[in-house]
Amino acid sequence: MFIIPCAVVSGASQPKIDLRGVWKFAIDNQDKGVIEQWFSKSLSETVTLPGSMATNGKGFDVTLSTKWTGQIVDSSYYYKPEYAKYRVPGNIKVPFWLQPLKYYVGAAWYQKEVNIPKDWKDKDIRLFLERCHWESRLWIDDKEIGMRNSLGTPHLYDLSKELTPGKHLLSICIDNRVKDIDPGINSHSISDHTQTNWNGMIGQLYLEARPKISIQNIQVFPDLQQKRIVAKVRIENSTKKSQKAAITLLATGTTTPESKNFNVDIAAGVDTLLLEYPMGNDVKLWSEFHPNVYQLIATLNIPKKDVKDSFQTSFGMREIKANGTQLEINDKPLFLRGTLECAIFPKTGFPPTQIDEWLRIFRICRSHGLNHVRFHSWCPPQVAFDAADQLGFYIQVECSSWANQSTTIGDGKPFDKYVYEESERMVETFGNHPSFCLMLYGNEPGGKNYTQFLTKFVTYWKNKDSRRIYTAGSGWPNVDENDYQSTPNPRIQAWGEELKSIINGSAPASDYDWNSKIASFKQPVVSHEIGQWCVYPNFKEIAKYDGVLRARNFEIFSETLTENGMKQQADSFLLASGKLQALCYKADIEAALRTRSFGGFQLLDLHDFPGQGTALVGVLDAFWDEKGYISPKEYSRFCNSTVPLACLKKHIYINSDTLSTSIEIAHYGDAPLLACIPTWKISDIYGKVIFSGKLPQKDIPLGNCIPLGEISVQLSSVQKAEKLILEVSAGSFSNSWDIWVFPAQKEKITGVEKIKIVSTLDPATCNYLENGGSVLLSLKKGTLKPEFGGDVKIGFSSIFWNTAWTHGQAPNTLGILCNPEHPALANFPTEYYSNWQWWDAMSHSNAIELNKLSPEIKPIVRAIDDWVTNRPLALLFELKIGKGKLLVSGIDLNQNIQNRPEALQLKQSLLHYMTGKQFNPTVSLPASVIQNMITE
């Protein structure tokens, strides 16, 4: 028989046999393994563990018949002609998520021979498999031991009777199929949308020998008021007799650690002891600002039996709770600034079990001002908790489920029992970590009885373990029993709102909040999955996918862009749409910070979500790397423990206006800011300060909606159209807002009377053009035929989530791209991307599809299309018609224009351009082509 040796680990608290390394392997896609007794045979292939089938190159090629784990909302890939070439064997490319090189769902066998030392005789022996995906079924030699199916905790097996000294064969069948226990096929614990539905074993893999009387687990319960801990010590005594023993507890991390001894009687079987340990007067608390972590070492000693055992666990002295509608950490106000982590690991397809990678992720989150991570429908491995403890992050952990689509919860299905079992395992395994602050069943439940079922689930855990806070589910249901409420309502764009949302349906402002949306709640509210703002793909990112997954979705989008003649625009589309995306996130986050006693927010997401149709919602990519359009320093100006806020009623002014705004601050720092003198200034884009001042000195307490003062300035000294920046600083924290000031009185333009301004091309206008006239064609919104772009749902904001998974919800565009130096825009201050001054234009516009006119047209202002369709869309372009010159504006510059200062200024800039020599179109088209694109 082929033998794969195992090493006995030395230097550990108890002797271990390390099982990492080469294992024998076989795929069991026909489920023959048990019937044919593969556990008694030598398997023919090998793999390296920790790892998965994919990391070992095992599995099958992806085909059209691949049965994925995950809901496919947009199935057009399977029948639309534009995807036909990606359905051909040898060129299979799917658009809805990252594509694995090899794929397998089913049973697979892993086998290893072990040699049990003689001195392990009369020891209790445990098999520890840190993370299996999913179900493990174990044989020792020819004997089946049992099955484990935890998604979020180690698989543990007691092998004390089976592993006698000498050689034994371990055979483990791993099955990653969804069977009777269905957490939901979109759950990030199992779904191909994110980490992949992998098959394998990762993390620590070992056999451990323990005394017949040993400490199996300790749960540590901090008591801040009494400056002590209560240790719930579970001891297993397999001698069948009660024993007298001594237990010593020692908490390291204190300045003067002292041990405490306990003489105890240990009953036969499993016994649980409650032991109190004083932490001393200099006890250090744990929080985001002071992540003090202690180690509790418990030593068990029975001299007469020659038994000595030890157990070590980390813990922190902290208390998280709800006080009315405010969350608190250690009796201080707490505001959760969070992002989701959806098990997105493109290199491996499974979560890292090395602490360095989790430290990197949490440090990146902190550099963007965050203090909280929600693990969406999955539970991370041990090292994630260790890293969060070390860096001071508040973690929300979920019981591996999104019970919707393929299943429900609370209706008597097997998962109902499983969620209790899984939550018990999670708390026993990770419950001592101070970072483990929030727990719930999972995401957005479905079913007839989920409210009643999850209410009981919350009540059960609130009564059992007060170390964290609980809510029924992410998103819903919002029941009175919840410690905090999770609701999607407080956001600037909600599912289904489309162009009626705050950001798309209301003129730019920075003074709204969610007080009315949360007024009915008696508990703190943490907003659910806010943001979801998309950016154009970074095609340079494709090269980074050199692990088990490939970005075939990106390849499709890149090829489509090239086919539509815009390959050279890819980087510009990324940067321009990224600037708009950042603007949207700033608006979302500041609204949350302006909401009184708010619990916090959970972004979807700081980094990209690769599944569900490709949701490029991150300012960071799927690897947590920057994309080049906003730095962590810039992001943390509006997302941080302390953020100054200007309550601007508008962002667009004319110079006869007075800019008046209240200034406030959200301050959730370590301590109040004493004797703070806030300052403000208004500068131009070159940094020249135009207005400035100081606000009254004050002590700034912890909390939000703290008034700092008022700013009021007359804008009459601003003579030309320009962008200005309002910046407010308090201590070391600063934040800024862009505003625009346009002249109330427009200068008279010489020759403007020769320009004909129309909304359609009637025969007289066509004749005027043919004979050398200049015409500004300004289309009324909705007058563009669908085949020319009239079916494009254009709005100001970026795309919400993505069009594939939202069934084409508006907007379908990603802002504008222009050359700000183009003379047509000389009197309309702009960057190359959408900022607030473009809100009016985007709200009154049609996106004209240039491929239906002429591929030679180079637009003055583009609308960036959805990356799925990649159509060349224009808002402004110019043509020669006969001897004349035509400027086509998909933006309505006529309707109600006296109440639209941005439109007035843009129109002024265009007319000024049209009267000059630089207005000289080079592309010629017949007037009939333009006439044909306008509805009657």
Side-chain angles (χ1 to χ4, degrees):
M1 178 181 290
F2 180 81
I3 298 175
I4 301 168
C6 304
V8 176
V9 179
S10 61
S13 59
Q14 299 294 342
K16 295 178 181 179
I17 296 177
D18 189 349
L19 300 177
R20 294 174 297 177
V22 179
W23 287 58
K24 302 200 77 179
F25 173 81
I27 291 176
D28 190 8
N29 59 309
Q30 296 181 4
D31 289 321
K32 293 181 178 180
V34 177
I35 298 172
E36 296 180 355
Q37 299 185 3
W38 290 8
F39 45 81
S40 62
K41 302 176 182 179
S42 179
L43 304 181
S44 59
E45 301 178 54
T46 61
V47 294
T48 300
L49 298 179
S52 68
M53 287 179 60
T55 59
N56 283 280
K58 305 294 184 180
F60 304 119
D61 292 337
V62 172
T63 69
L64 281 181
S65 59
T66 295
K67 295 182 179 178
W68 301 102
T69 304
Q71 181 188 26
I72 299 176
V73 171
D74 178 9
S75 60
S76 62
Y77 164 75
Y78 293 100
Y79 59 84
K80 278 190 174 180
E82 52 262 44
Y83 290 117
K85 63 181 177 181
Y86 304 117
R87 300 193 292 264
V88 177
N91 194 44
I92 297 292
K93 296 182 180 182
V94 299
F96 27 81
W97 46 54
L98 298 174
Q99 186 169 318
L101 293 175
K102 295 290 183 180
Y103 190 76
Y104 181 74
V105 174
W109 290 70
Y110 303 80
Q111 195 176 76
K112 196 175 190 70
E113 188 172 84
V114 296
N115 194 355
I116 303 302
K118 291 181 180 179
D119 59 2
W120 281 27
K121 184 180 179 181
D122 298 325
K123 297 279 190 180
D124 282 347
I125 301 175
R126 302 287 192 274
L127 173 63
F128 181 95
L129 308 173
E130 182 175 354
R131 181 143 304 198
C132 300
H133 194 82
W134 174 13
E135 175 188 284
S136 69
R137 192 172 171 186
L138 173 67
W139 283 260
I140 299 296
D141 303 321
D142 293 339
K143 180 180 180 182
E144 183 172 1
I145 304 302
M147 183 270 287
R148 304 288 184 269
N149 61 5
S150 176
L151 278 162
T153 63
H155 289 202
L156 306 175
Y157 289 90
D158 184 350
L159 304 178
S160 305
K161 296 178 180 179
E162 288 76 24
L163 290 184
T164 56
K167 293 180 179 179
H168 296 276
L169 187 64
L170 275 66
S171 298
I172 303 174
C173 181
I174 301 291
D175 197 333
N176 59 337
R177 285 173 290 192
V178 178
K179 298 181 179 179
D180 291 340
I181 296 172
D182 182 2
I185 58 171
N186 291 337
S187 302
H188 299 155
S189 55
I190 64 170
S191 178
D192 287 314
H193 283 291
T194 53
Q195 67 174 322
T196 75
N197 185 14
W198 56 283
N199 184 305
M201 294 179 276
I202 61 172
Q204 297 186 63
L205 312 171
Y206 60 81
L207 290 165
E208 181 181 42
R210 304 288 297 276
K212 286 292 184 180
I213 304 174
S214 61
I215 301 171
Q216 295 298 306
N217 187 267
I218 299 178
Q219 293 296 303
V220 180
F221 295 84
D223 183 345
L224 271 60
Q225 286 70 36
Q226 300 297 321
K227 297 183 178 180
R228 65 177 184 177
I229 59 171
V230 176
K232 188 176 181 181
V233 183
R234 193 178 81 237
I235 300 175
E236 186 166 319
N237 175 4
S238 57
T239 66
K240 299 183 180 180
K241 294 181 180 180
S242 62
Q243 301 288 342
K244 292 186 179 295
I247 293 180
T248 301
L249 296 183
L250 174 65
T252 62
T254 60
T255 53
T256 55
E258 295 185 6
S259 60
K260 184 174 182 181
N261 300 317
F262 302 86
N263 294 317
V264 297
D265 291 322
I266 301 173
V270 177
D271 197 3
T272 300
L273 307 173
L274 294 178
L275 307 177
E276 295 182 3
Y277 180 89
M279 295 298 295
N281 291 327
D282 61 345
V283 60
K284 293 178 173 57
L285 304 187
W286 182 94
S287 71
E288 63 186 284
F289 303 105
H290 304 284
N292 298 300
V293 180
Y294 290 96
Q295 297 293 323
L296 180 66
I297 303 170
T299 304
L300 170 67
N301 193 11
I302 308 177
K304 291 183 179 180
K305 294 291 183 179
D306 193 26
V307 171
K308 191 167 185 179
D309 187 45
S310 65
F311 189 98
Q312 182 170 321
T313 185
S314 59
F315 71 97
M317 295 296 289
R318 67 107 178 99
E319 181 183 36
I320 186 170
K321 64 183 179 181
N323 184 358
T325 59
Q326 179 70 66
L327 288 176
E328 291 184 346
I329 185 83
N330 305 332
D331 294 326
K332 293 181 179 180
L334 169 64
F335 189 99
L336 295 175
R337 306 179 305 279
T339 185
L340 272 60
E341 211 310 305
C342 298
I344 300 164
F345 308 106
K347 295 282 189 182
T348 60
F350 54 70
T353 53
Q354 301 79 33
I355 192 170
D356 287 350
E357 179 59 13
W358 286 105
L359 288 170
R360 183 184 78 91
I361 290 170
F362 286 125
R363 283 171 178 148
I364 290 169
C365 291
R366 179 58 50 81
S367 72
H368 287 80
L370 302 181
N371 64 358
H372 168 53
V373 173
R374 172 198 165 199
F375 288 89
H376 180 313
S377 60
W378 77 291
C379 177
Q382 171 73 36
V383 289
F385 291 92
D386 292 337
D389 290 348
Q390 182 177 326
L391 297 179
F393 262 80
Y394 310 116
I395 289 180
Q396 175 175 304
V397 181
E398 302 180 9
C399 301
S400 304
S401 179
W402 183 356
N404 216 316
Q405 289 84 40
S406 67
T407 189
T408 60
I409 194 169
D411 296 330
K413 294 174 179 158
F415 185 78
D416 288 358
K417 179 182 177 185
Y418 179 89
V419 74
Y420 274 92
E421 295 171 343
E422 184 78 341
S423 63
E424 295 278 6
R425 290 187 288 256
M426 287 163 47
V427 169
E428 177 167 310
T429 308
F430 308 121
N432 292 335
H433 289 278
S435 59
F436 188 179
C437 292
L438 308 92
M439 188 177 81
L440 56 151
Y441 115 87
N443 188 57
E444 299 173 357
K448 296 180 180 179
N449 301 302
Y450 67 77
T451 299
Q452 180 182 6
F453 178 87
L454 292 176
T455 299
K456 291 180 179 178
F457 181 77
V458 167
T459 301
Y460 171 82
W461 275 109
K462 286 175 66 175
N463 291 334
K464 182 170 183 174
D465 193 333
S466 62
R467 289 178 292 179
R468 62 197 60 84
I469 54 176
Y470 304 91
T471 195
S474 278
W476 59 79
N478 292 310
V479 297
D480 290 342
E481 287 77 5
N482 288 344
D483 285 323
Y484 66 103
Q485 305 290 8
S486 172
T487 174
N489 293 329
R491 57 166 77 171
I492 62 174
Q493 178 97 10
W495 184 280
E497 277 191 315
E498 302 194 70
L499 302 181
K500 297 179 181 178
S501 64
I502 285 178
I503 193 167
N504 284 300
S506 302
S510 301
D511 64 344
Y512 52 86
D513 55 48
W514 311 131
N515 289 324
S516 62
K517 291 183 181 250
I518 67 171
S520 62
F521 293 119
K522 299 176 182 178
Q523 305 88 350
V525 173
V526 178
S527 52
H528 171 69
E529 297 183 0
I530 73 166
Q532 307 188 35
W533 299 115
C534 286
V535 66
Y536 197 79
N538 178 11
F539 296 132
K540 293 177 181 176
E541 188 183 317
I542 294 173
K544 296 168 70 171
Y545 292 87
D546 56 5
V548 302
L549 296 166
R550 293 293 183 269
R552 304 298 187 210
N553 47 356
F554 278 35
E555 292 175 15
I556 293 173
F557 308 143
S558 178
E559 290 168 23
T560 305
L561 185 71
T562 300
E563 290 165 3
N564 283 328
M566 295 184 292
K567 181 179 180 180
Q568 72 282 0
Q569 301 291 339
D571 290 346
S572 297
F573 286 171
L574 165 67
L575 296 176
S577 62
K579 290 292 188 180
L580 174 60
Q581 179 199 45
L583 177 151
C584 294
Y585 275 114
K586 184 177 192 290
D588 245 329
I589 290 170
E590 288 186 351
L593 290 168
R594 288 192 297 267
T595 302
R596 188 174 302 279
S597 299
F598 204 46
F601 59 81
Q602 294 169 342
L603 295 173
L604 187 54
D605 193 341
L606 186 63
H607 72 324
D608 283 339
F609 185 100
Q612 292 187 15
T614 309
L616 305 175
V617 295
V619 299
L620 306 177
D621 66 21
F623 302 89
W624 295 91
D625 294 333
E626 293 176 41
K627 297 181 181 180
Y629 49 81
I630 186 169
S631 68
K633 183 177 180 180
E634 292 172 297
Y635 198 97
S636 63
R637 285 168 64 89
F638 57 81
C639 177
N640 215 321
S641 59
T642 304
V643 179
L645 298 162
C647 302
L648 291 162
K649 297 185 181 302
K650 58 184 181 179
H651 284 259
I652 312 299
Y653 297 84
I654 56 177
N655 62 358
S656 59
D657 287 338
T658 298
L659 185 155
S660 297
T661 184
S662 300
I663 303 299
E664 61 184 45
I665 194 168
H667 176 52
Y668 291 94
D670 186 30
L673 297 177
L674 302 179
C676 180
I677 303 176
T679 62
W680 64 272
K681 62 182 178 180
I682 297 176
S683 308
D684 65 16
I685 60 174
Y686 306 104
K688 179 183 177 182
V689 177
I690 302 172
F691 307 102
S692 63
K694 295 181 179 180
L695 298 174
Q697 177 179 310
K698 70 178 303 179
D699 295 340
I700 299 175
L702 298 179
N704 70 338
C705 300
I706 300 163
L708 296 183
E710 302 287 328
I711 297 174
S712 181
V713 294
Q714 298 284 340
L715 298 173
S716 55
S717 61
V718 182
Q719 294 298 305
K720 63 177 182 178
E722 62 180 316
K723 170 188 162 182
L724 303 177
I725 299 106
L726 166 64
E727 182 175 12
V728 177
S729 299
S732 60
F733 299 94
S734 298
N735 196 8
S736 61
W737 301 264
D738 295 340
I739 61 173
W740 288 261
V741 181
F742 301 135
Q745 299 296 320
K746 306 301 181 187
E747 64 172 311
K748 293 183 179 181
I749 303 172
T750 304
V752 73
E753 67 279 358
K754 297 179 181 180
I755 298 173
K756 193 169 185 179
I757 303 172
V758 298
S759 58
T760 188
L761 290 185
D762 56 21
T765 303
C766 291
N767 185 59
Y768 184 68
L769 278 167
E770 292 289 346
N771 288 293
S774 293
V775 173
L776 173 60
L777 171 62
S778 175
L779 300 181
K780 183 179 179 182
K781 186 176 177 67
T783 60
L784 185 66
K785 290 180 180 178
E787 60 268 31
F788 287 91
D791 58 348
V792 177
K793 301 174 184 177
I794 192 168
F796 172 73
S797 79
S798 179
I799 291 171
F800 175 80
W801 196 234
N802 65 72
T803 56
W805 244 244
T806 63
H807 305 288
Q809 287 185 25
N812 298 163
T813 54
L814 294 158
I816 66 111
L817 173 66
C818 70
N819 175 5
E821 301 302 319
H822 194 286
L825 303 173
N827 291 294
F828 187 75
T830 186
E831 301 92 346
Y832 63 89
Y833 53 86
S834 288
N835 208 329
W836 289 119
Q837 85 276 32
W838 284 102
W839 179 90
D840 177 85
M842 301 299 279
S843 301
H844 295 82
S845 65
N846 310 270
I848 303 167
E849 190 170 348
L850 295 180
N851 274 353
K852 302 298 177 65
L853 303 178
S854 168
E856 296 179 5
I857 298 173
K858 305 300 180 186
I860 298 169
V861 179
R862 289 182 183 269
I864 304 172
D865 193 23
D866 179 7
W867 58 86
V868 176
T869 46
N870 275 322
R871 295 160 293 189
L873 304 177
L875 297 180
L876 287 170
F877 63 93
E878 57 189 21
L879 292 170
K880 286 179 66 176
I881 304 289
K883 298 179 182 179
K885 295 179 287 186
L886 175 68
L887 183 62
V888 180
S889 172
I891 304 162
D892 180 359
L893 299 174
N894 295 319
Q895 306 299 312
N896 193 33
I897 194 166
Q898 294 304 317
N899 295 315
R900 297 166 53 204
E902 308 99 304
L904 272 172
Q905 190 62 40
L906 179 57
K907 187 174 183 178
Q908 178 82 355
S909 186
L910 296 179
L911 291 173
H912 196 279
Y913 167 66
M914 294 177 71
T915 61
K917 295 180 180 180
Q918 291 176 299
F919 181 41
N920 187 27
T922 58
V923 178
S924 297
L925 282 181
S928 59
V929 173
I930 303 301
Q931 285 178 308
N932 188 47
M933 74 180 192
I934 306 171
T935 59
E936 295 297 330

